[in-house]
Amino acid sequence: MHKTLMFSLMVAVLFCFAIPLSASECSTCHQAKGVRPADPPAAPIAIRDGGRTETITLAEAFRFHGHECPGMTTTFLALQYGLKLLFGGETPDRKDLMIVSRTPVDGGLDMIDLLMFGKNRKARTSPPEGMQPGRDKFGYTIYRKSNGTAVDVQLKPEHFPGDFYQYKKKQSQKALSEQEWQVLHGYMKDIIVKFPKMSPESLFGKPGPY
């Protein structure tokens, strides 16, 4: 059974995929290896807060997180798609949202925090202890509280490398070879660069509000 984290504010995620440990080191590594956001960039997400409308671009989300990140990329696109399905042409209000996430990864956590709290969050949201990442766990339920509707957005597992977390485990154990690191970094680059160029239907299917 999947553990879920529900909050009218946010949920959790953990995705700083690189041998470098700091945000600046991750950025330097990405630049050296040609990891760049998609061109043209993904459309921004618009959100209302206290009578004003904010926009969040993927580039801004990367800066908020500290570097380009697969978890941030996937979560940005999933939430963007879910909000469009749930609100149509309307701009959602932060207070009208509730999000459930089934993935415990950092970049996604930061994206949800950014959407729900803005850049001035008081504290970073953390996943519950024991939540494990997986290629089949990039699932998000977005609720519109004002009318009780919701939509489930799930990344198709085939788009995520099957051995990604094997490499991640070795990385955490400091047992990743340079050749294996090149494979892992190639996976990350593909997600960051290619996902924003794909249609949401290709990435997430065609869910409907309920």
Side-chain angles (χ1 to χ4, degrees), residues 29-171:
C29 180
H30 288 328
Q31 291 170 10
K33 295 182 180 297
V35 178
R36 299 287 186 277
D39 186 23
I45 295 174
I47 188 83
R48 285 192 295 115
D49 188 353
R52 59 191 177 84
T53 299
E54 301 176 12
T55 57
I56 302 170
T57 67
L58 184 53
E60 288 170 338
F62 286 150
R63 287 194 292 271
F64 182 75
H65 180 56
H67 59 91
E68 293 85 359
C69 168
M72 175 68 78
T73 303
T74 303
T75 306
F76 180 97
L77 296 171
L79 297 183
Q80 180 185 61
Y81 187 37
L83 291 174
K84 180 180 179 181
L85 292 171
L86 201 55
F87 288 84
E90 299 179 55
T91 300
D93 191 293
R94 280 194 170 111
K95 293 181 180 179
D96 196 23
L97 291 177
M98 181 168 69
I99 298 174
V100 176
S101 175
R102 295 167 183 82
T103 181
V105 296
D106 253 358
L109 176 152
D110 281 348
M111 181 60 230
I112 298 174
D113 275 355
L114 181 59
L115 180 66
M116 296 298 289
F117 304 123
K119 296 177 182 178
N120 299 315
R121 64 182 173 186
K122 294 182 179 180
R124 192 181 204 184
T125 301
S126 298
E129 186 176 353
M131 252 183 127
Q132 297 298 319
R135 68 192 299 232
D136 60 343
K137 293 184 180 179
F138 286 93
Y140 312 84
T141 300
I142 305 169
Y143 292 91
R144 183 174 183 173
K145 294 189 288 184
S146 59
N147 64 7
T149 58
V151 66
D152 299 321
V153 180
Q154 172 82 42
L155 178 69
K156 293 180 180 180
E158 60 265 30
H159 291 307
F160 203 86
D163 55 357
F164 184 91
Y165 286 105
Q166 296 175 32
Y167 286 119
K168 285 298 294 176
K169 182 177 181 179
K170 292 189 69 174
Q171 182 189 13

